[in-house]
Amino acid sequence: DESESAEGEDENGVDAVVVEIKAGTGGSEAMIFVGDLMAMYRGLAQRLGWRAEILETNDGGDESGKSLLRNAVLRLEGRAAARLLRFEGGVHRVQRVPVTESSGRVHTSTASVVSLPVALSRSKNSPPPAIPASDLRIDTYRAGGAGGQHVNTTDSAVRITHIPTGLQAASQNQRSQHQNKALALEVLAARIAAQESATRMAASSAARRRQIGGAGAGERSDKIRTYNYPQGRVTDHRAPGAAVTGGAL
């Protein structure tokens, strides 16, 4: 409902979301798919006038001229960004002939996506999310990959660990250690909030299962969307009959 304000929005309806993409089944093809999904979300941000930042990537090398990514973390900020992407979480499946496939056989690979709304601390010139300093371990390291000479020759990358939960967040693509620390704190706060929410939901779901009977009652597959390249079709499995043909990823 566009009339409802999402949590974390400012007075202009601007909010932010962190999108985490991880390769699933499918080997190198799944890692190529991570890059495709990252490009898809960045393309969406460009079309809608959002700000898009790559916070972290884990390079898996390259194969047949294609870059392989084990995972990627993006931050997207703009009007209704968190609201529009809040249902992206789940398993995304791709069906196509991989560039590494010589016989022309269609393969199925997957990548998982997590969508985490974040507070607009930087946009409002307010301090980073309040997490007790005693609960944090902050490590700095030299960033790898693209980003220019500066980020590759100084220890500007930051990884922060939340000691009580073991959750981590990292940022490596900003020019200064201070900027990377602020972004990593923002992402870490979102992950902590998501874990707390998941814990509450798990407890609620367990209580519901006890009431309706059966450990698997009411549960659905995590698969939410299939991108079928040979047929030029994208299918959303949460909406029976919902498919788009002829579009581009």
Side-chain angles (χ1 to χ4, degrees):
D1 184 351
E2 291 296 324
S3 65
E4 295 180 359
S5 294
E7 183 178 356
E9 276 190 356
D10 70 5
E11 63 275 8
N12 297 313
V14 172
D15 53 21
V17 61
V18 168
V19 176
E20 303 177 6
I21 311 167
K22 293 184 179 180
T25 59
S28 59
E29 170 66 5
M31 288 189 276
I32 293 173
F33 187 39
V34 169
D36 292 338
L37 289 174
M38 180 173 70
M40 179 183 76
Y41 289 121
R42 294 180 73 190
L44 176 66
Q46 183 176 21
R47 288 196 296 272
L48 296 180
W50 297 346
R51 178 180 180 180
E53 297 173 276
I54 301 174
L55 302 186
E56 183 182 8
T57 56
N58 187 354
D59 190 5
D62 61 82
E63 190 168 332
S64 299
K66 287 284 190 176
S67 297
L68 307 181
L69 292 176
R70 301 182 191 280
N71 68 277
V73 182
L74 306 173
R75 183 187 187 277
L76 306 172
E77 179 180 326
R79 184 169 180 80
R83 273 190 288 166
L84 290 177
L85 297 179
R86 68 188 185 276
F87 297 122
E88 288 298 297
V91 174
H92 294 235
R93 184 175 69 169
V94 62
Q95 295 174 323
R96 63 186 176 189
V97 179
V99 294
T100 56
E101 172 61 55
S102 58
S103 65
R105 185 168 59 93
V106 174
H107 288 228
T108 298
S109 304
T110 64
S112 63
V113 173
V114 175
S115 175
L116 300 172
V118 298
L120 290 176
S121 58
R122 292 184 304 152
S123 299
K124 294 184 177 181
N125 297 317
S126 59
I131 303 174
S134 58
D135 288 349
L136 300 176
R137 184 176 73 246
I138 301 176
D139 300 305
T140 60
Y141 58 99
R142 187 163 298 178
Q149 184 178 6
H150 179 80
V151 299
N152 286 287
T153 58
T154 64
D155 292 337
S156 59
V158 175
R159 179 182 295 107
I160 305 178
T161 302
H162 185 239
I163 297 171
T165 63
L167 293 173
Q168 292 185 330
S171 179
Q172 64 183 30
N173 287 343
Q174 303 301 309
R175 288 184 58 84
S176 75
Q177 188 180 113
H178 176 75
Q179 291 172 317
N180 280 320
K181 181 181 177 182
L183 276 173
L185 275 173
E186 189 177 75
V187 175
L188 183 62
R191 288 177 176 166
I192 293 171
Q195 185 181 78
E196 292 173 347
S197 176
T199 300
R200 291 192 299 269
M201 290 180 63
S204 175
S205 296
R208 180 176 181 274
R209 284 196 298 268
R210 286 195 296 268
Q211 292 179 37
I212 65 177
E219 294 184 357
R220 298 184 298 176
S221 169
D222 285 337
K223 179 181 67 181
I224 67 165
R225 193 175 299 140
T226 295
Y227 308 80
N228 186 301
Y229 276 64
Q231 299 178 15
R233 185 182 71 242
V234 177
T235 302
D236 194 305
H237 300 285
R238 298 162 298 182
V244 177
T245 58
L249 176 62

Short mmCIF file of all heavy atoms in Angstrom, two decimals, residues 181-246:
data_model
loop_
_atom_site.label_atom_id
_atom_site.label_comp_id
_atom_site.label_asym_id
_atom_site.label_seq_id
_atom_site.Cartn_x
_atom_site.Cartn_y
_atom_site.Cartn_z
N LYS A 181 33.31 2.07 8.00
CA LYS A 181 32.85 1.72 9.34
C LYS A 181 31.38 2.10 9.53
O LYS A 181 30.59 1.33 10.08
CB LYS A 181 33.71 2.41 10.40
CG LYS A 181 33.30 2.07 11.83
CD LYS A 181 34.18 2.79 12.84
CE LYS A 181 33.72 2.52 14.27
NZ LYS A 181 34.55 3.25 15.27
N ALA A 182 31.00 3.31 9.07
CA ALA A 182 29.62 3.75 9.21
C ALA A 182 28.66 2.83 8.45
O ALA A 182 27.60 2.46 8.96
CB ALA A 182 29.49 5.19 8.70
N LEU A 183 29.05 2.44 7.24
CA LEU A 183 28.20 1.54 6.46
C LEU A 183 28.11 0.17 7.10
O LEU A 183 27.03 -0.44 7.16
CB LEU A 183 28.74 1.42 5.03
CG LEU A 183 28.33 2.50 4.05
CD1 LEU A 183 29.07 2.34 2.74
CD2 LEU A 183 26.82 2.46 3.81
N ALA A 184 29.24 -0.35 7.57
CA ALA A 184 29.23 -1.68 8.19
C ALA A 184 28.38 -1.69 9.45
O ALA A 184 27.65 -2.66 9.72
CB ALA A 184 30.66 -2.11 8.51
N LEU A 185 28.44 -0.61 10.24
CA LEU A 185 27.60 -0.52 11.44
C LEU A 185 26.12 -0.51 11.06
O LEU A 185 25.29 -1.14 11.74
CB LEU A 185 27.94 0.74 12.23
CG LEU A 185 29.10 0.65 13.22
CD1 LEU A 185 29.42 2.04 13.78
CD2 LEU A 185 28.79 -0.32 14.35
N GLU A 186 25.79 0.19 10.00
CA GLU A 186 24.41 0.27 9.53
C GLU A 186 23.90 -1.11 9.14
O GLU A 186 22.79 -1.52 9.52
CB GLU A 186 24.36 1.22 8.35
CG GLU A 186 22.97 1.59 7.87
CD GLU A 186 23.05 2.60 6.73
OE1 GLU A 186 23.40 2.20 5.61
OE2 GLU A 186 22.75 3.77 6.98
N VAL A 187 24.72 -1.84 8.39
CA VAL A 187 24.33 -3.18 7.94
C VAL A 187 24.25 -4.14 9.14
O VAL A 187 23.33 -4.95 9.24
CB VAL A 187 25.31 -3.71 6.89
CG1 VAL A 187 24.98 -5.16 6.53
CG2 VAL A 187 25.26 -2.84 5.65
N LEU A 188 25.20 -4.05 10.05
CA LEU A 188 25.20 -4.92 11.22
C LEU A 188 23.95 -4.71 12.06
O LEU A 188 23.32 -5.67 12.53
CB LEU A 188 26.45 -4.67 12.07
CG LEU A 188 26.62 -5.58 13.29
CD1 LEU A 188 26.75 -7.04 12.86
CD2 LEU A 188 27.84 -5.16 14.10
N ALA A 189 23.56 -3.45 12.25
CA ALA A 189 22.34 -3.17 13.02
C ALA A 189 21.12 -3.79 12.34
O ALA A 189 20.23 -4.33 13.01
CB ALA A 189 22.15 -1.65 13.16
N ALA A 190 21.08 -3.74 11.00
CA ALA A 190 19.97 -4.34 10.27
C ALA A 190 19.96 -5.86 10.44
O ALA A 190 18.90 -6.48 10.60
CB ALA A 190 20.05 -3.99 8.80
N ARG A 191 21.13 -6.48 10.44
CA ARG A 191 21.21 -7.93 10.61
C ARG A 191 20.80 -8.36 12.01
O ARG A 191 20.15 -9.39 12.20
CB ARG A 191 22.62 -8.42 10.28
CG ARG A 191 22.92 -8.37 8.79
CD ARG A 191 24.34 -8.79 8.47
NE ARG A 191 24.54 -8.81 7.02
CZ ARG A 191 25.71 -8.87 6.43
NH1 ARG A 191 26.82 -8.92 7.16
NH2 ARG A 191 25.79 -8.89 5.11
N ILE A 192 21.21 -7.57 13.01
CA ILE A 192 20.81 -7.88 14.38
C ILE A 192 19.29 -7.79 14.51
O ILE A 192 18.64 -8.66 15.11
CB ILE A 192 21.51 -6.93 15.37
CG1 ILE A 192 23.02 -7.20 15.38
CG2 ILE A 192 20.93 -7.10 16.78
CD1 ILE A 192 23.81 -6.17 16.15
N ALA A 193 18.71 -6.72 13.95
CA ALA A 193 17.26 -6.55 14.01
C ALA A 193 16.55 -7.69 13.29
O ALA A 193 15.52 -8.20 13.75
CB ALA A 193 16.86 -5.21 13.40
N ALA A 194 17.10 -8.12 12.14
CA ALA A 194 16.48 -9.21 11.38
C ALA A 194 16.54 -10.52 12.16
O ALA A 194 15.59 -11.31 12.16
CB ALA A 194 17.18 -9.37 10.03
N GLN A 195 17.67 -10.77 12.84
CA GLN A 195 17.78 -12.00 13.62
C GLN A 195 16.80 -12.00 14.79
O GLN A 195 16.16 -13.01 15.08
CB GLN A 195 19.20 -12.17 14.15
CG GLN A 195 19.41 -13.50 14.87
CD GLN A 195 20.80 -13.66 15.41
OE1 GLN A 195 21.14 -13.09 16.45
NE2 GLN A 195 21.63 -14.43 14.72
N GLU A 196 16.67 -10.85 15.45
CA GLU A 196 15.71 -10.76 16.56
C GLU A 196 14.29 -10.99 16.07
O GLU A 196 13.50 -11.68 16.71
CB GLU A 196 15.84 -9.39 17.23
CG GLU A 196 17.15 -9.19 17.97
CD GLU A 196 17.33 -7.77 18.48
OE1 GLU A 196 16.54 -6.89 18.06
OE2 GLU A 196 18.24 -7.55 19.30
N SER A 197 13.97 -10.41 14.89
CA SER A 197 12.65 -10.62 14.31
C SER A 197 12.42 -12.08 13.94
O SER A 197 11.35 -12.64 14.18
CB SER A 197 12.48 -9.73 13.07
OG SER A 197 11.24 -9.96 12.43
N ALA A 198 13.45 -12.72 13.37
CA ALA A 198 13.33 -14.12 12.98
C ALA A 198 13.13 -15.01 14.20
O ALA A 198 12.36 -15.99 14.15
CB ALA A 198 14.58 -14.55 12.21
N THR A 199 13.79 -14.67 15.29
CA THR A 199 13.63 -15.45 16.52
C THR A 199 12.20 -15.35 17.03
O THR A 199 11.59 -16.35 17.43
CB THR A 199 14.61 -14.95 17.60
OG1 THR A 199 15.95 -15.12 17.13
CG2 THR A 199 14.43 -15.73 18.90
N ARG A 200 11.65 -14.13 16.99
CA ARG A 200 10.27 -13.96 17.43
C ARG A 200 9.31 -14.71 16.51
O ARG A 200 8.36 -15.36 16.97
CB ARG A 200 9.91 -12.47 17.46
CG ARG A 200 10.61 -11.67 18.54
CD ARG A 200 9.99 -10.30 18.70
NE ARG A 200 10.08 -9.51 17.49
CZ ARG A 200 11.10 -8.69 17.23
NH1 ARG A 200 12.10 -8.56 18.10
NH2 ARG A 200 11.12 -7.97 16.12
N MET A 201 9.55 -14.65 15.20
CA MET A 201 8.68 -15.33 14.24
C MET A 201 8.77 -16.84 14.39
O MET A 201 7.77 -17.55 14.28
CB MET A 201 9.05 -14.93 12.82
CG MET A 201 8.69 -13.49 12.47
SD MET A 201 9.14 -13.05 10.77
CE MET A 201 8.09 -14.19 9.84
N ALA A 202 9.98 -17.36 14.67
CA ALA A 202 10.14 -18.80 14.85
C ALA A 202 9.36 -19.28 16.05
O ALA A 202 8.71 -20.35 16.02
CB ALA A 202 11.62 -19.14 15.00
N ALA A 203 9.40 -18.50 17.12
CA ALA A 203 8.65 -18.87 18.31
C ALA A 203 7.16 -18.85 18.03
O ALA A 203 6.41 -19.74 18.45
CB ALA A 203 8.98 -17.92 19.46
N SER A 204 6.70 -17.84 17.26
CA SER A 204 5.29 -17.75 16.91
C SER A 204 4.87 -18.90 16.01
O SER A 204 3.79 -19.49 16.17
CB SER A 204 5.02 -16.41 16.23
OG SER A 204 3.69 -16.32 15.78
N SER A 205 5.73 -19.24 15.03
CA SER A 205 5.42 -20.34 14.11
C SER A 205 5.35 -21.67 14.83
O SER A 205 4.50 -22.51 14.54
CB SER A 205 6.48 -20.40 13.00
OG SER A 205 6.45 -19.23 12.22
N ALA A 206 6.26 -21.86 15.79
CA ALA A 206 6.25 -23.11 16.56
C ALA A 206 4.95 -23.24 17.35
O ALA A 206 4.35 -24.32 17.40
CB ALA A 206 7.46 -23.15 17.49
N ALA A 207 4.53 -22.12 17.93
CA ALA A 207 3.27 -22.15 18.67
C ALA A 207 2.09 -22.44 17.74
O ALA A 207 1.18 -23.19 18.08
CB ALA A 207 3.05 -20.81 19.39
N ARG A 208 2.14 -21.87 16.53
CA ARG A 208 1.06 -22.09 15.57
C ARG A 208 1.03 -23.56 15.14
O ARG A 208 -0.04 -24.16 15.02
CB ARG A 208 1.25 -21.18 14.35
CG ARG A 208 0.17 -21.35 13.29
CD ARG A 208 0.37 -20.35 12.16
NE ARG A 208 -0.67 -20.50 11.15
CZ ARG A 208 -0.62 -21.36 10.15
NH1 ARG A 208 0.42 -22.17 10.04
NH2 ARG A 208 -1.59 -21.42 9.28
N ARG A 209 2.22 -24.16 14.88
CA ARG A 209 2.25 -25.56 14.47
C ARG A 209 1.70 -26.46 15.55
O ARG A 209 1.05 -27.46 15.26
CB ARG A 209 3.69 -25.96 14.13
CG ARG A 209 4.18 -25.43 12.78
CD ARG A 209 5.42 -26.16 12.33
NE ARG A 209 6.53 -25.98 13.24
CZ ARG A 209 7.43 -25.00 13.12
NH1 ARG A 209 7.33 -24.13 12.14
NH2 ARG A 209 8.43 -24.89 13.99
N ARG A 210 1.97 -26.10 16.80
CA ARG A 210 1.43 -26.91 17.90
C ARG A 210 -0.10 -26.85 17.90
O ARG A 210 -0.77 -27.82 18.27
CB ARG A 210 1.99 -26.42 19.24
CG ARG A 210 3.44 -26.79 19.47
CD ARG A 210 3.83 -26.60 20.93
NE ARG A 210 3.74 -25.22 21.34
CZ ARG A 210 4.75 -24.35 21.28
NH1 ARG A 210 5.91 -24.75 20.79
NH2 ARG A 210 4.61 -23.11 21.69
N GLN A 211 -0.64 -25.71 17.48
CA GLN A 211 -2.10 -25.56 17.49
C GLN A 211 -2.76 -26.26 16.31
O GLN A 211 -3.81 -26.87 16.45
CB GLN A 211 -2.47 -24.07 17.46
CG GLN A 211 -2.10 -23.32 18.74
CD GLN A 211 -2.46 -21.86 18.64
OE1 GLN A 211 -3.49 -21.51 18.06
NE2 GLN A 211 -1.62 -20.99 19.19
N ILE A 212 -2.14 -26.18 15.11
CA ILE A 212 -2.79 -26.74 13.92
C ILE A 212 -2.33 -28.15 13.63
O ILE A 212 -2.93 -28.84 12.81
CB ILE A 212 -2.53 -25.85 12.68
CG1 ILE A 212 -1.05 -25.85 12.31
CG2 ILE A 212 -3.06 -24.45 12.92
CD1 ILE A 212 -0.75 -25.05 11.06
N GLY A 213 -1.26 -28.61 14.32
CA GLY A 213 -0.81 -29.99 14.15
C GLY A 213 0.10 -30.16 12.96
O GLY A 213 -0.12 -29.60 11.89
N GLY A 214 1.14 -30.98 13.13
CA GLY A 214 2.03 -31.30 12.02
C GLY A 214 3.18 -30.33 11.92
O GLY A 214 2.99 -29.13 11.83
N ALA A 215 4.40 -30.88 11.93
CA ALA A 215 5.59 -30.03 11.94
C ALA A 215 5.69 -29.19 10.68
O ALA A 215 6.21 -28.09 10.68
CB ALA A 215 6.85 -30.88 12.10
N GLY A 216 5.18 -29.71 9.55
CA GLY A 216 5.34 -28.99 8.30
C GLY A 216 4.09 -28.29 7.84
O GLY A 216 4.03 -27.79 6.70
N ALA A 217 3.08 -28.25 8.65
CA ALA A 217 1.80 -27.67 8.24
C ALA A 217 1.96 -26.20 7.89
O ALA A 217 2.51 -25.42 8.65
CB ALA A 217 0.77 -27.82 9.36
N GLY A 218 1.46 -25.83 6.72
CA GLY A 218 1.45 -24.43 6.32
C GLY A 218 2.76 -23.92 5.78
O GLY A 218 2.84 -22.78 5.36
N GLU A 219 3.83 -24.75 5.76
CA GLU A 219 5.11 -24.27 5.27
C GLU A 219 5.18 -24.38 3.75
O GLU A 219 4.59 -25.25 3.14
CB GLU A 219 6.25 -25.07 5.91
CG GLU A 219 6.35 -24.84 7.41
CD GLU A 219 7.54 -25.55 8.01
OE1 GLU A 219 8.24 -26.26 7.25
OE2 GLU A 219 7.76 -25.41 9.22
N ARG A 220 5.94 -23.46 3.10
CA ARG A 220 6.11 -23.46 1.65
C ARG A 220 7.59 -23.46 1.30
O ARG A 220 8.44 -23.14 2.13
CB ARG A 220 5.45 -22.21 1.03
CG ARG A 220 3.96 -22.13 1.27
CD ARG A 220 3.37 -20.93 0.56
NE ARG A 220 3.92 -19.68 1.06
CZ ARG A 220 3.63 -18.49 0.55
NH1 ARG A 220 2.82 -18.40 -0.48
NH2 ARG A 220 4.15 -17.40 1.05
N SER A 221 7.88 -23.79 0.08
CA SER A 221 9.26 -23.77 -0.39
C SER A 221 9.80 -22.35 -0.34
O SER A 221 9.07 -21.38 -0.50
CB SER A 221 9.32 -24.31 -1.82
OG SER A 221 10.59 -24.07 -2.39
N ASP A 222 11.11 -22.25 -0.14
CA ASP A 222 11.75 -20.93 -0.13
C ASP A 222 11.88 -20.35 -1.54
O ASP A 222 12.16 -19.17 -1.69
CB ASP A 222 13.14 -21.02 0.49
CG ASP A 222 13.09 -21.17 2.00
OD1 ASP A 222 12.07 -20.77 2.58
OD2 ASP A 222 14.05 -21.68 2.58
N LYS A 223 11.70 -21.19 -2.56
CA LYS A 223 11.85 -20.71 -3.94
C LYS A 223 10.77 -19.69 -4.25
O LYS A 223 9.58 -19.97 -4.10
CB LYS A 223 11.74 -21.90 -4.91
CG LYS A 223 11.86 -21.53 -6.37
CD LYS A 223 11.69 -22.77 -7.24
CE LYS A 223 10.28 -23.32 -7.15
NZ LYS A 223 10.09 -24.53 -7.96
N ILE A 224 11.19 -18.50 -4.68
CA ILE A 224 10.20 -17.46 -4.94
C ILE A 224 10.08 -17.10 -6.41
O ILE A 224 9.04 -16.64 -6.86
CB ILE A 224 10.48 -16.19 -4.12
CG1 ILE A 224 11.77 -15.51 -4.59
CG2 ILE A 224 10.51 -16.48 -2.62
CD1 ILE A 224 11.91 -14.08 -4.09
N ARG A 225 11.17 -17.29 -7.21
CA ARG A 225 11.12 -16.81 -8.58
C ARG A 225 12.04 -17.64 -9.47
O ARG A 225 13.09 -18.08 -9.04
CB ARG A 225 11.55 -15.33 -8.62
CG ARG A 225 11.24 -14.63 -9.94
CD ARG A 225 11.58 -13.15 -9.87
NE ARG A 225 10.79 -12.49 -8.83
CZ ARG A 225 11.26 -11.56 -8.02
NH1 ARG A 225 12.52 -11.19 -8.11
NH2 ARG A 225 10.47 -11.00 -7.12
N THR A 226 11.59 -17.85 -10.71
CA THR A 226 12.41 -18.55 -11.70
C THR A 226 12.59 -17.68 -12.92
O THR A 226 11.63 -17.12 -13.45
CB THR A 226 11.75 -19.89 -12.12
OG1 THR A 226 11.71 -20.77 -11.00
CG2 THR A 226 12.53 -20.55 -13.24
N TYR A 227 13.84 -17.57 -13.38
CA TYR A 227 14.19 -16.83 -14.57
C TYR A 227 14.54 -17.87 -15.65
O TYR A 227 15.59 -18.50 -15.59
CB TYR A 227 15.39 -15.92 -14.32
CG TYR A 227 15.22 -15.01 -13.12
CD1 TYR A 227 15.45 -15.49 -11.81
CD2 TYR A 227 14.87 -13.67 -13.26
CE1 TYR A 227 15.32 -14.66 -10.70
CE2 TYR A 227 14.74 -12.83 -12.16
CZ TYR A 227 14.96 -13.34 -10.89
OH TYR A 227 14.84 -12.51 -9.79
N ASN A 228 13.63 -18.08 -16.59
CA ASN A 228 13.82 -19.09 -17.64
C ASN A 228 14.27 -18.39 -18.92
O ASN A 228 13.48 -17.73 -19.60
CB ASN A 228 12.51 -19.86 -17.87
CG ASN A 228 12.69 -21.01 -18.84
OD1 ASN A 228 13.09 -20.82 -19.98
ND2 ASN A 228 12.37 -22.22 -18.37
N TYR A 229 15.55 -18.51 -19.24
CA TYR A 229 16.12 -17.81 -20.38
C TYR A 229 15.65 -18.37 -21.73
O TYR A 229 15.31 -17.59 -22.63
CB TYR A 229 17.65 -17.84 -20.30
CG TYR A 229 18.23 -16.74 -19.43
CD1 TYR A 229 17.97 -16.68 -18.07
CD2 TYR A 229 19.05 -15.75 -19.97
CE1 TYR A 229 18.51 -15.69 -17.27
CE2 TYR A 229 19.60 -14.74 -19.18
CZ TYR A 229 19.31 -14.71 -17.84
OH TYR A 229 19.84 -13.71 -17.04
N PRO A 230 15.63 -19.71 -21.93
CA PRO A 230 15.20 -20.22 -23.24
C PRO A 230 13.80 -19.76 -23.62
O PRO A 230 13.51 -19.53 -24.80
CB PRO A 230 15.27 -21.74 -23.06
CG PRO A 230 16.29 -21.95 -21.99
CD PRO A 230 16.10 -20.80 -21.05
N GLN A 231 12.91 -19.63 -22.63
CA GLN A 231 11.53 -19.23 -22.90
C GLN A 231 11.30 -17.74 -22.68
O GLN A 231 10.18 -17.25 -22.88
CB GLN A 231 10.57 -20.05 -22.03
CG GLN A 231 10.64 -21.55 -22.30
CD GLN A 231 9.72 -22.34 -21.40
OE1 GLN A 231 8.82 -21.79 -20.75
NE2 GLN A 231 9.92 -23.65 -21.33
N GLY A 232 12.34 -17.01 -22.24
CA GLY A 232 12.20 -15.57 -22.00
C GLY A 232 11.11 -15.28 -20.99
O GLY A 232 10.35 -14.31 -21.14
N ARG A 233 11.06 -16.07 -19.92
CA ARG A 233 9.96 -15.95 -18.96
C ARG A 233 10.48 -15.85 -17.53
O ARG A 233 11.42 -16.53 -17.16
CB ARG A 233 9.05 -17.18 -19.06
CG ARG A 233 7.79 -17.09 -18.18
CD ARG A 233 6.94 -18.36 -18.27
NE ARG A 233 7.59 -19.48 -17.59
CZ ARG A 233 7.98 -20.59 -18.16
NH1 ARG A 233 7.84 -20.75 -19.47
NH2 ARG A 233 8.56 -21.57 -17.47
N VAL A 234 9.86 -14.96 -16.75
CA VAL A 234 10.12 -14.87 -15.32
C VAL A 234 8.84 -15.23 -14.59
O VAL A 234 7.78 -14.65 -14.86
CB VAL A 234 10.59 -13.45 -14.91
CG1 VAL A 234 10.77 -13.37 -13.40
CG2 VAL A 234 11.87 -13.08 -15.63
N THR A 235 8.90 -16.20 -13.69
CA THR A 235 7.73 -16.67 -12.96
C THR A 235 7.89 -16.42 -11.48
O THR A 235 8.93 -16.77 -10.90
CB THR A 235 7.51 -18.18 -13.20
OG1 THR A 235 7.36 -18.42 -14.59
CG2 THR A 235 6.26 -18.66 -12.46
N ASP A 236 6.90 -15.82 -10.85
CA ASP A 236 6.89 -15.65 -9.41
C ASP A 236 6.03 -16.75 -8.81
O ASP A 236 4.83 -16.82 -9.08
CB ASP A 236 6.34 -14.27 -9.03
CG ASP A 236 6.62 -13.92 -7.57
OD1 ASP A 236 6.24 -14.72 -6.69
OD2 ASP A 236 7.23 -12.87 -7.31
N HIS A 237 6.64 -17.62 -8.00
CA HIS A 237 5.95 -18.80 -7.49
C HIS A 237 5.02 -18.49 -6.32
O HIS A 237 4.27 -19.36 -5.90
CB HIS A 237 6.99 -19.85 -7.08
CG HIS A 237 7.86 -20.28 -8.22
ND1 HIS A 237 7.43 -21.12 -9.22
CD2 HIS A 237 9.14 -19.95 -8.53
CE1 HIS A 237 8.42 -21.31 -10.09
NE2 HIS A 237 9.46 -20.60 -9.70
N ARG A 238 5.04 -17.28 -5.85
CA ARG A 238 4.14 -16.91 -4.75
C ARG A 238 2.80 -16.44 -5.26
O ARG A 238 1.86 -16.27 -4.49
CB ARG A 238 4.79 -15.82 -3.89
CG ARG A 238 6.07 -16.25 -3.22
CD ARG A 238 6.90 -15.08 -2.76
NE ARG A 238 7.31 -14.24 -3.89
CZ ARG A 238 8.09 -13.16 -3.76
NH1 ARG A 238 8.51 -12.79 -2.57
NH2 ARG A 238 8.42 -12.45 -4.83
N ALA A 239 2.72 -16.19 -6.57
CA ALA A 239 1.47 -15.72 -7.18
C ALA A 239 1.15 -16.65 -8.34
O ALA A 239 1.69 -16.49 -9.44
CB ALA A 239 1.61 -14.29 -7.67
N PRO A 240 0.31 -17.66 -8.13
CA PRO A 240 0.00 -18.63 -9.18
C PRO A 240 -0.44 -17.96 -10.49
O PRO A 240 -1.29 -17.07 -10.49
CB PRO A 240 -1.14 -19.44 -8.58
CG PRO A 240 -0.96 -19.31 -7.10
CD PRO A 240 -0.42 -17.94 -6.89
N GLY A 241 0.22 -18.36 -11.57
CA GLY A 241 -0.13 -17.80 -12.86
C GLY A 241 0.57 -16.51 -13.21
O GLY A 241 0.42 -15.99 -14.31
N ALA A 242 1.38 -15.99 -12.26
CA ALA A 242 2.08 -14.72 -12.51
C ALA A 242 3.40 -14.99 -13.23
O ALA A 242 4.30 -15.59 -12.68
CB ALA A 242 2.34 -13.99 -11.19
N ALA A 243 3.47 -14.56 -14.47
CA ALA A 243 4.70 -14.73 -15.24
C ALA A 243 4.83 -13.57 -16.22
O ALA A 243 3.85 -13.02 -16.69
CB ALA A 243 4.69 -16.05 -15.99
N VAL A 244 6.10 -13.20 -16.48
CA VAL A 244 6.38 -12.13 -17.44
C VAL A 244 7.25 -12.72 -18.55
O VAL A 244 8.24 -13.40 -18.26
CB VAL A 244 7.13 -10.96 -16.75
CG1 VAL A 244 7.48 -9.89 -17.77
CG2 VAL A 244 6.26 -10.37 -15.65
N THR A 245 6.88 -12.50 -19.77
CA THR A 245 7.66 -13.00 -20.89
C THR A 245 8.19 -11.83 -21.73
O THR A 245 7.59 -10.77 -21.78
CB THR A 245 6.82 -13.92 -21.80
OG1 THR A 245 5.69 -13.19 -22.28
CG2 THR A 245 6.35 -15.15 -21.05
N GLY A 246 9.34 -12.07 -22.36
CA GLY A 246 9.89 -11.08 -23.27
C GLY A 246 10.70 -9.98 -22.62
O GLY A 246 11.21 -9.10 -23.31
#
